[in-house]
Amino acid sequence: MSTCADQIKTTELKAKDYKSDTKPVWCPGCGDFGVLNAITKALAALQLPREDVAFVSGIGCSSRIPAYSAVYGFHGVHGRALPVASGLAVSRPDLTVLAAGGDGDGFSIGGNHFMHACRRNVNLTYLVMDNAVYGMTKGQASPTTESDWAGSKLTPEGPGLAQFQPLEIALSAGAPYIARCFSGDPNGLAQRLTEALAFPGFAFIQVLSPCVTYRPEQKEYKKLVHPGFEPTADRREAFMQLMDDDGFTTGVLYKADIPAYQPDRAEPSDLDTIARQFRVGEHGPKPVTNPYYPCSEAGCAVDPPVPED
Amino acid sequence: MQANSLSLALIGSGGTGVMTAGQILLDAAAQAGWYGLMTRSFGPQIRGGEAAAILRLAHHPIQGQDDHLDLFLALDWGNIERFAAELPLAEHSTVIADPAQGDVPQVIARTGARQAMVPLKEVTKSVKGGRANMVALGLVAELIGLPRAALMQTLNKVLGRKGEDVLQTAEACLQAGAEQAKAVDTSLALEAKPTPEGEQPERWALTGNEAAGLGALRGGVRFSAAYPITPSTDIVEWLAPELPKLGGCLVQAEDELSAINMCLGASFGGTPSITATSGPGLALMIETLGLAVASETPVVVVDVMRGGPSTGIPTKSEQSDLNIALYGLHGDAPHLVVAPNSITDCLAATQWSVHLAEALQTPALVLSDQAMGQARAIVDKPIPMDWKAERRTADKPGEDYLRYRITDDGVSPMAIPGTVGGVYTADGLEHAERGTPSSQADHHQGQLDKRLHKLTGYDYGEYWADIEGEGELAVITWGSSTGPVREALDRARAEGITARLISVRLLSPVQPEAMAEALRGVSRALVVEQTHGGQFHHYLRAHYDLPATVQAFHHPGPLAIRPGEVLEQLRQLAQQEAA
Ligand SMILES: Cc1ncc(C[n+]2csc(CCOP(=O)(O)OP(=O)(O)O)c2C)c(N)n1
Ligand code: SF4
């Protein structure tokens, strides 16, 4: 990751330098505008060169965000931002990788990736613009929607399901950095983001980001949110804080020093040396990868377990 | 009997060690300067159950299994009914069994094969700490005339680390087995062949899956992400320890959706990437393959086909993922589909696919199958190819940089993150040349044209198909069916039937002109494939002008296409009048 120190040579970048000239498709008043502002502020605060930042997303109103910023972007398919971001971050540790999307994208279709990204702990920042609704498909319930919200034609009596708890799940799954912010407070969010982007591991930020079109009542979020989380590295304490959470507490909940994902290393070699393993004459037992030579027993009588699926 | 090649099967319950014995036999044959091929056959059980090591050995490179087995050795009869159809016996075959294991089952006896009873268990008991599979190995090696020195050399490698005792026990078993050979009334030695003088050409022993892995590395792949699925897992298991040696890495993903998307992420970052999967996994990857097409992100997926649909027959081969590979993507999504047609070709075809995917900034699907992927062969050292990942990158993009600029050949320079001035957003949404999402008709038309044109306008050269021989008859086939077809053509030639082979390697995009050239003068064609519904035949009909007379020969897995059955079809075709 580039640090501020690397950048002294360039002229100082302002938040607006990180904005592209593509006009957002968002509805006027959508919370996602605040998130975009916060992101550009955080990038400016870190003075990250634009070309060294990559912004990955899935599909949804919120997932349109990479195109609105002037960094490298990848706008993929629904629910798959985290794998794309992980592959990129693992293969290009020199980049600052930011993934973003909605609650539907991240917790519903992408729910499995969310859990595993928390476990995998690749060095990237994941920001979910949570409006408890599917904005882009015009207002269906999402995993974070209240169980009695009857505003969708698809679930006219409310989804009737327990609400997905992003912070609890992130904590259970092993994410080392967990925070909640509000899009109506771009400065606060920018501050958290600055910290998250510099954090050496998987940093997850849930951003309460109102959908003024399908959940107009969310305009009240600004009255509901309140600071309260005290950063801790103690999981038990973090869970305790969540037990008292009304869903609108903001701040860093958990921050732990857990080593980020490291790909396997090996002694450097070259293609010819690698190919030599196939030469007859030198071909020998390769217990790990050769399916025919398990030889765990003297006398070589044991065949390997036969794979099924 | 002196034979051109020898086919044999060793069967026994899982745990008896027949696979290991088969593998040692194959390696020893290689040490002796022979060529060979070993296919594994087993059911879906994890441990136990019946397993068969099926080998074919010769003094020349081998394309696939023969019509019938010459030798069939059973350590026990376990669930032989499940395998019988895959172990074809004829009257000239010899079945060796241990009377202590009970009568020869009806499915075997019915074939009319000669039977020889050898008290394997008893003989094994005579060696302290002995194993029946080693006794069987000694017996078989003696029967086929495999030099003992080659066998011992191989055993040394396999068991050497386990100490002198183990080695001595094994040798005693081999000797005890060999002594039983006198009791078996058959002479199966390979045709005598003069010992080659001087340096022997280099030979390799490898599976199709290992070959694909090496092809990926040679092509320039430095990132892989995968989710295990039989029979593709061997590829990524092979790659996992090798990639870091070249500065790359492999990530085990939580599922196939993740695997392919991780590969796209890495590729977006400039690292050539590959994943391997089989039918069900490919189905899950399809949406993202469309994303790779639209966002013009290169990626390679090796699909090692198994019996389908659904979970199908995970451990056995078929060619029935052809349709999903060609047509599975939604929208108009031109992409590459390449099929290796032999174990060795798994190397070159994968390497080529990496090269093409990178050059054309699009996904390439490599359609391998279980029969090639998991069979191990002794082959001549594959000719090294120089296909590499050469992506057209935008190294100094100016103010006016357009990621998806419509160029003459449809390929536009790609700015890799880190490149100053190149920032853009790759998009699966339809987009204008800059990459900004657009639903405008002219943008859609322009980008669709671009993505099609870059594939259809490219010169794929001669490697698009293997075209051999001439004549009015042609056999059109692909993938692992090519081996038995080649052998059938050889046999047909001996009968005076000449026919040409067209083994299509580049399945997509289609090559109508090259195919017209390949079919010039052909009046009758035979289409051979291992599917139930004739997918390849329908594909050919949809995209190519075929001769008036076309005979389709196809059956599903797990039964292999045999040279003899192809030959029979060829005979029929030869007798038909040209329409
Ligand atoms: C595979 C697939 N299924 C469904 C869709 C349709 N779809 C587009 S966006 C979306 C939900 C978006 O909701 P969310 O992620 O919460 O984002 P928001 O629009 O609220 O920002 C859905 C279901 C799709 N694009 N792809
Ligand atoms: S629909 Fe909702 S989430 Fe989408 S842009 Fe409008 S306000 Fe924002």
Side-chain angles (χ1 to χ4, degrees), chain B residues 63-84:
Chain B
Q63 316 264 6
Q65 295 297 352
D66 205 348
D67 295 346
H68 298 104
L69 294 167
D70 299 301
L71 187 65
F72 178 106
L73 184 144
L75 284 176
D76 60 65
W77 293 113
N79 300 304
I80 187 62
E81 298 77 19
R82 291 197 208 149
F83 284 91

PDB file of all heavy atoms in Angstrom, chain B residues 63-84:
ATOM      1  N   GLN B  63      -2.913 -43.867 -28.174  1.00  0.00           N
ATOM      2  CA  GLN B  63      -3.949 -42.833 -28.286  1.00  0.00           C
ATOM      3  C   GLN B  63      -5.063 -42.999 -27.260  1.00  0.00           C
ATOM      4  O   GLN B  63      -5.681 -42.039 -26.845  1.00  0.00           O
ATOM      5  CB  GLN B  63      -4.619 -42.921 -29.658  1.00  0.00           C
ATOM      6  CG  GLN B  63      -3.666 -43.119 -30.798  1.00  0.00           C
ATOM      7  CD  GLN B  63      -3.337 -41.803 -31.450  1.00  0.00           C
ATOM      8  OE1 GLN B  63      -3.741 -40.756 -30.957  1.00  0.00           O
ATOM      9  NE2 GLN B  63      -2.601 -41.847 -32.533  1.00  0.00           N
ATOM     10  N   GLY B  64      -5.339 -44.268 -26.945  1.00  0.00           N
ATOM     11  CA  GLY B  64      -6.468 -44.516 -26.039  1.00  0.00           C
ATOM     12  C   GLY B  64      -6.538 -46.009 -25.773  1.00  0.00           C
ATOM     13  O   GLY B  64      -5.663 -46.763 -26.212  1.00  0.00           O
ATOM     14  N   GLN B  65      -7.566 -46.408 -25.069  1.00  0.00           N
ATOM     15  CA  GLN B  65      -7.680 -47.835 -24.759  1.00  0.00           C
ATOM     16  C   GLN B  65      -8.137 -48.617 -25.985  1.00  0.00           C
ATOM     17  O   GLN B  65      -8.758 -48.081 -26.893  1.00  0.00           O
ATOM     18  CB  GLN B  65      -8.647 -48.043 -23.583  1.00  0.00           C
ATOM     19  CG  GLN B  65      -8.162 -47.438 -22.266  1.00  0.00           C
ATOM     20  CD  GLN B  65      -6.865 -48.069 -21.736  1.00  0.00           C
ATOM     21  OE1 GLN B  65      -6.371 -49.065 -22.258  1.00  0.00           O
ATOM     22  NE2 GLN B  65      -6.289 -47.451 -20.702  1.00  0.00           N
ATOM     23  N   ASP B  66      -7.806 -49.906 -25.956  1.00  0.00           N
ATOM     24  CA  ASP B  66      -8.123 -50.798 -27.074  1.00  0.00           C
ATOM     25  C   ASP B  66      -9.566 -51.309 -26.951  1.00  0.00           C
ATOM     26  O   ASP B  66     -10.244 -51.053 -25.964  1.00  0.00           O
ATOM     27  CB  ASP B  66      -7.138 -51.973 -27.044  1.00  0.00           C
ATOM     28  CG  ASP B  66      -6.966 -52.603 -28.418  1.00  0.00           C
ATOM     29  OD1 ASP B  66      -7.771 -52.285 -29.320  1.00  0.00           O
ATOM     30  OD2 ASP B  66      -6.029 -53.404 -28.577  1.00  0.00           O
ATOM     31  N   ASP B  67      -9.994 -52.079 -27.964  1.00  0.00           N
ATOM     32  CA  ASP B  67     -11.345 -52.650 -27.935  1.00  0.00           C
ATOM     33  C   ASP B  67     -11.512 -53.656 -26.803  1.00  0.00           C
ATOM     34  O   ASP B  67     -12.555 -53.711 -26.164  1.00  0.00           O
ATOM     35  CB  ASP B  67     -11.644 -53.379 -29.254  1.00  0.00           C
ATOM     36  CG  ASP B  67     -11.681 -52.406 -30.412  1.00  0.00           C
ATOM     37  OD1 ASP B  67     -11.750 -51.198 -30.143  1.00  0.00           O
ATOM     38  OD2 ASP B  67     -11.628 -52.867 -31.560  1.00  0.00           O
ATOM     39  N   HIS B  68     -10.489 -54.475 -26.643  1.00  0.00           N
ATOM     40  CA  HIS B  68     -10.585 -55.553 -25.656  1.00  0.00           C
ATOM     41  C   HIS B  68      -9.326 -55.628 -24.811  1.00  0.00           C
ATOM     42  O   HIS B  68      -8.269 -55.183 -25.231  1.00  0.00           O
ATOM     43  CB  HIS B  68     -10.771 -56.910 -26.353  1.00  0.00           C
ATOM     44  CG  HIS B  68     -12.023 -56.983 -27.134  1.00  0.00           C
ATOM     45  ND1 HIS B  68     -12.056 -56.893 -28.502  1.00  0.00           N
ATOM     46  CD2 HIS B  68     -13.317 -57.091 -26.738  1.00  0.00           C
ATOM     47  CE1 HIS B  68     -13.294 -56.951 -28.920  1.00  0.00           C
ATOM     48  NE2 HIS B  68     -14.095 -57.073 -27.872  1.00  0.00           N
ATOM     49  N   LEU B  69      -9.475 -56.252 -23.672  1.00  0.00           N
ATOM     50  CA  LEU B  69      -8.319 -56.488 -22.807  1.00  0.00           C
ATOM     51  C   LEU B  69      -7.645 -57.790 -23.225  1.00  0.00           C
ATOM     52  O   LEU B  69      -8.311 -58.751 -23.601  1.00  0.00           O
ATOM     53  CB  LEU B  69      -8.775 -56.628 -21.357  1.00  0.00           C
ATOM     54  CG  LEU B  69      -9.366 -55.387 -20.719  1.00  0.00           C
ATOM     55  CD1 LEU B  69     -10.049 -55.761 -19.403  1.00  0.00           C
ATOM     56  CD2 LEU B  69      -8.280 -54.350 -20.493  1.00  0.00           C
ATOM     57  N   ASP B  70      -6.325 -57.802 -23.144  1.00  0.00           N
ATOM     58  CA  ASP B  70      -5.622 -59.060 -23.358  1.00  0.00           C
ATOM     59  C   ASP B  70      -5.524 -59.830 -22.047  1.00  0.00           C
ATOM     60  O   ASP B  70      -5.613 -61.042 -22.026  1.00  0.00           O
ATOM     61  CB  ASP B  70      -4.208 -58.779 -23.889  1.00  0.00           C
ATOM     62  CG  ASP B  70      -4.268 -58.046 -25.206  1.00  0.00           C
ATOM     63  OD1 ASP B  70      -4.862 -58.587 -26.157  1.00  0.00           O
ATOM     64  OD2 ASP B  70      -3.771 -56.901 -25.276  1.00  0.00           O
ATOM     65  N   LEU B  71      -5.347 -59.090 -20.999  1.00  0.00           N
ATOM     66  CA  LEU B  71      -5.130 -59.725 -19.701  1.00  0.00           C
ATOM     67  C   LEU B  71      -5.986 -59.014 -18.652  1.00  0.00           C
ATOM     68  O   LEU B  71      -6.072 -57.782 -18.637  1.00  0.00           O
ATOM     69  CB  LEU B  71      -3.647 -59.587 -19.339  1.00  0.00           C
ATOM     70  CG  LEU B  71      -3.159 -60.320 -18.114  1.00  0.00           C
ATOM     71  CD1 LEU B  71      -3.271 -61.824 -18.338  1.00  0.00           C
ATOM     72  CD2 LEU B  71      -1.699 -59.955 -17.835  1.00  0.00           C
ATOM     73  N   PHE B  72      -6.580 -59.840 -17.814  1.00  0.00           N
ATOM     74  CA  PHE B  72      -7.460 -59.307 -16.789  1.00  0.00           C
ATOM     75  C   PHE B  72      -7.131 -60.044 -15.507  1.00  0.00           C
ATOM     76  O   PHE B  72      -7.308 -61.261 -15.427  1.00  0.00           O
ATOM     77  CB  PHE B  72      -8.899 -59.577 -17.234  1.00  0.00           C
ATOM     78  CG  PHE B  72      -9.960 -59.132 -16.272  1.00  0.00           C
ATOM     79  CD1 PHE B  72     -10.719 -58.003 -16.535  1.00  0.00           C
ATOM     80  CD2 PHE B  72     -10.240 -59.861 -15.124  1.00  0.00           C
ATOM     81  CE1 PHE B  72     -11.714 -57.604 -15.677  1.00  0.00           C
ATOM     82  CE2 PHE B  72     -11.235 -59.452 -14.258  1.00  0.00           C
ATOM     83  CZ  PHE B  72     -11.973 -58.319 -14.535  1.00  0.00           C
ATOM     84  N   LEU B  73      -6.632 -59.322 -14.538  1.00  0.00           N
ATOM     85  CA  LEU B  73      -6.265 -59.983 -13.295  1.00  0.00           C
ATOM     86  C   LEU B  73      -7.122 -59.442 -12.159  1.00  0.00           C
ATOM     87  O   LEU B  73      -7.178 -58.226 -11.946  1.00  0.00           O
ATOM     88  CB  LEU B  73      -4.775 -59.767 -12.998  1.00  0.00           C
ATOM     89  CG  LEU B  73      -4.261 -60.503 -11.763  1.00  0.00           C
ATOM     90  CD1 LEU B  73      -2.838 -60.999 -11.993  1.00  0.00           C
ATOM     91  CD2 LEU B  73      -4.307 -59.644 -10.513  1.00  0.00           C
ATOM     92  N   ALA B  74      -7.778 -60.374 -11.460  1.00  0.00           N
ATOM     93  CA  ALA B  74      -8.647 -59.962 -10.365  1.00  0.00           C
ATOM     94  C   ALA B  74      -8.073 -60.422  -9.040  1.00  0.00           C
ATOM     95  O   ALA B  74      -7.855 -61.618  -8.832  1.00  0.00           O
ATOM     96  CB  ALA B  74     -10.046 -60.542 -10.554  1.00  0.00           C
ATOM     97  N   LEU B  75      -7.827 -59.466  -8.149  1.00  0.00           N
ATOM     98  CA  LEU B  75      -7.401 -59.854  -6.798  1.00  0.00           C
ATOM     99  C   LEU B  75      -8.598 -60.361  -6.015  1.00  0.00           C
ATOM    100  O   LEU B  75      -8.480 -61.225  -5.164  1.00  0.00           O
ATOM    101  CB  LEU B  75      -6.761 -58.671  -6.084  1.00  0.00           C
ATOM    102  CG  LEU B  75      -5.334 -58.328  -6.520  1.00  0.00           C
ATOM    103  CD1 LEU B  75      -4.840 -57.087  -5.811  1.00  0.00           C
ATOM    104  CD2 LEU B  75      -4.386 -59.491  -6.266  1.00  0.00           C
ATOM    105  N   ASP B  76      -9.747 -59.798  -6.301  1.00  0.00           N
ATOM    106  CA  ASP B  76     -10.999 -60.316  -5.751  1.00  0.00           C
ATOM    107  C   ASP B  76     -12.104 -59.846  -6.675  1.00  0.00           C
ATOM    108  O   ASP B  76     -11.860 -59.113  -7.627  1.00  0.00           O
ATOM    109  CB  ASP B  76     -11.208 -59.824  -4.309  1.00  0.00           C
ATOM    110  CG  ASP B  76     -11.279 -58.321  -4.224  1.00  0.00           C
ATOM    111  OD1 ASP B  76     -12.232 -57.747  -4.786  1.00  0.00           O
ATOM    112  OD2 ASP B  76     -10.366 -57.708  -3.617  1.00  0.00           O
ATOM    113  N   TRP B  77     -13.330 -60.268  -6.400  1.00  0.00           N
ATOM    114  CA  TRP B  77     -14.409 -59.969  -7.350  1.00  0.00           C
ATOM    115  C   TRP B  77     -15.320 -58.835  -6.900  1.00  0.00           C
ATOM    116  O   TRP B  77     -16.176 -58.392  -7.660  1.00  0.00           O
ATOM    117  CB  TRP B  77     -15.230 -61.226  -7.657  1.00  0.00           C
ATOM    118  CG  TRP B  77     -14.442 -62.239  -8.411  1.00  0.00           C
ATOM    119  CD1 TRP B  77     -14.047 -63.468  -7.968  1.00  0.00           C
ATOM    120  CD2 TRP B  77     -13.924 -62.105  -9.747  1.00  0.00           C
ATOM    121  NE1 TRP B  77     -13.308 -64.118  -8.925  1.00  0.00           N
ATOM    122  CE2 TRP B  77     -13.218 -63.299 -10.029  1.00  0.00           C
ATOM    123  CE3 TRP B  77     -13.975 -61.109 -10.707  1.00  0.00           C
ATOM    124  CZ2 TRP B  77     -12.580 -63.515 -11.248  1.00  0.00           C
ATOM    125  CZ3 TRP B  77     -13.341 -61.318 -11.925  1.00  0.00           C
ATOM    126  CH2 TRP B  77     -12.646 -62.515 -12.179  1.00  0.00           C
ATOM    127  N   GLY B  78     -15.151 -58.371  -5.676  1.00  0.00           N
ATOM    128  CA  GLY B  78     -15.922 -57.222  -5.159  1.00  0.00           C
ATOM    129  C   GLY B  78     -17.200 -56.917  -5.912  1.00  0.00           C
ATOM    130  O   GLY B  78     -18.081 -57.752  -6.049  1.00  0.00           O
ATOM    131  N   ASN B  79     -17.301 -55.706  -6.433  1.00  0.00           N
ATOM    132  CA  ASN B  79     -18.503 -55.303  -7.175  1.00  0.00           C
ATOM    133  C   ASN B  79     -18.243 -55.315  -8.676  1.00  0.00           C
ATOM    134  O   ASN B  79     -18.482 -54.344  -9.369  1.00  0.00           O
ATOM    135  CB  ASN B  79     -18.910 -53.893  -6.765  1.00  0.00           C
ATOM    136  CG  ASN B  79     -19.221 -53.815  -5.293  1.00  0.00           C
ATOM    137  OD1 ASN B  79     -20.073 -54.551  -4.807  1.00  0.00           O
ATOM    138  ND2 ASN B  79     -18.523 -52.963  -4.578  1.00  0.00           N
ATOM    139  N   ILE B  80     -17.754 -56.431  -9.151  1.00  0.00           N
ATOM    140  CA  ILE B  80     -17.304 -56.489 -10.539  1.00  0.00           C
ATOM    141  C   ILE B  80     -18.400 -56.127 -11.543  1.00  0.00           C
ATOM    142  O   ILE B  80     -18.115 -55.555 -12.606  1.00  0.00           O
ATOM    143  CB  ILE B  80     -16.684 -57.878 -10.860  1.00  0.00           C
ATOM    144  CG1 ILE B  80     -16.063 -57.877 -12.256  1.00  0.00           C
ATOM    145  CG2 ILE B  80     -17.707 -58.985 -10.725  1.00  0.00           C
ATOM    146  CD1 ILE B  80     -14.922 -56.889 -12.425  1.00  0.00           C
ATOM    147  N   GLU B  81     -19.665 -56.390 -11.178  1.00  0.00           N
ATOM    148  CA  GLU B  81     -20.756 -56.100 -12.124  1.00  0.00           C
ATOM    149  C   GLU B  81     -20.732 -54.634 -12.557  1.00  0.00           C
ATOM    150  O   GLU B  81     -21.021 -54.307 -13.693  1.00  0.00           O
ATOM    151  CB  GLU B  81     -22.134 -56.395 -11.511  1.00  0.00           C
ATOM    152  CG  GLU B  81     -22.360 -57.851 -11.133  1.00  0.00           C
ATOM    153  CD  GLU B  81     -21.653 -58.239  -9.839  1.00  0.00           C
ATOM    154  OE1 GLU B  81     -21.291 -57.320  -9.051  1.00  0.00           O
ATOM    155  OE2 GLU B  81     -21.424 -59.439  -9.621  1.00  0.00           O
ATOM    156  N   ARG B  82     -20.372 -53.753 -11.623  1.00  0.00           N
ATOM    157  CA  ARG B  82     -20.384 -52.322 -11.922  1.00  0.00           C
ATOM    158  C   ARG B  82     -19.345 -51.928 -12.970  1.00  0.00           C
ATOM    159  O   ARG B  82     -19.432 -50.890 -13.586  1.00  0.00           O
ATOM    160  CB  ARG B  82     -20.059 -51.526 -10.664  1.00  0.00           C
ATOM    161  CG  ARG B  82     -21.118 -51.574  -9.616  1.00  0.00           C
ATOM    162  CD  ARG B  82     -20.856 -50.425  -8.657  1.00  0.00           C
ATOM    163  NE  ARG B  82     -21.365 -50.749  -7.334  1.00  0.00           N
ATOM    164  CZ  ARG B  82     -20.820 -50.306  -6.223  1.00  0.00           C
ATOM    165  NH1 ARG B  82     -19.753 -49.532  -6.274  1.00  0.00           N
ATOM    166  NH2 ARG B  82     -21.333 -50.626  -5.070  1.00  0.00           N
ATOM    167  N   PHE B  83     -18.330 -52.782 -13.097  1.00  0.00           N
ATOM    168  CA  PHE B  83     -17.212 -52.429 -13.971  1.00  0.00           C
ATOM    169  C   PHE B  83     -17.197 -53.198 -15.272  1.00  0.00           C
ATOM    170  O   PHE B  83     -16.522 -52.810 -16.209  1.00  0.00           O
ATOM    171  CB  PHE B  83     -15.887 -52.736 -13.265  1.00  0.00           C
ATOM    172  CG  PHE B  83     -15.559 -51.751 -12.235  1.00  0.00           C
ATOM    173  CD1 PHE B  83     -15.955 -51.944 -10.935  1.00  0.00           C
ATOM    174  CD2 PHE B  83     -14.883 -50.592 -12.587  1.00  0.00           C
ATOM    175  CE1 PHE B  83     -15.663 -51.012  -9.973  1.00  0.00           C
ATOM    176  CE2 PHE B  83     -14.594 -49.659 -11.624  1.00  0.00           C
ATOM    177  CZ  PHE B  83     -14.988 -49.865 -10.314  1.00  0.00           C
ATOM    178  N   ALA B  84     -17.902 -54.315 -15.252  1.00  0.00           N
ATOM    179  CA  ALA B  84     -17.728 -55.280 -16.340  1.00  0.00           C
ATOM    180  C   ALA B  84     -17.809 -54.610 -17.708  1.00  0.00           C
ATOM    181  O   ALA B  84     -16.999 -54.880 -18.592  1.00  0.00           O
ATOM    182  CB  ALA B  84     -18.760 -56.383 -16.204  1.00  0.00           C
TER     183      ALA B  84
END
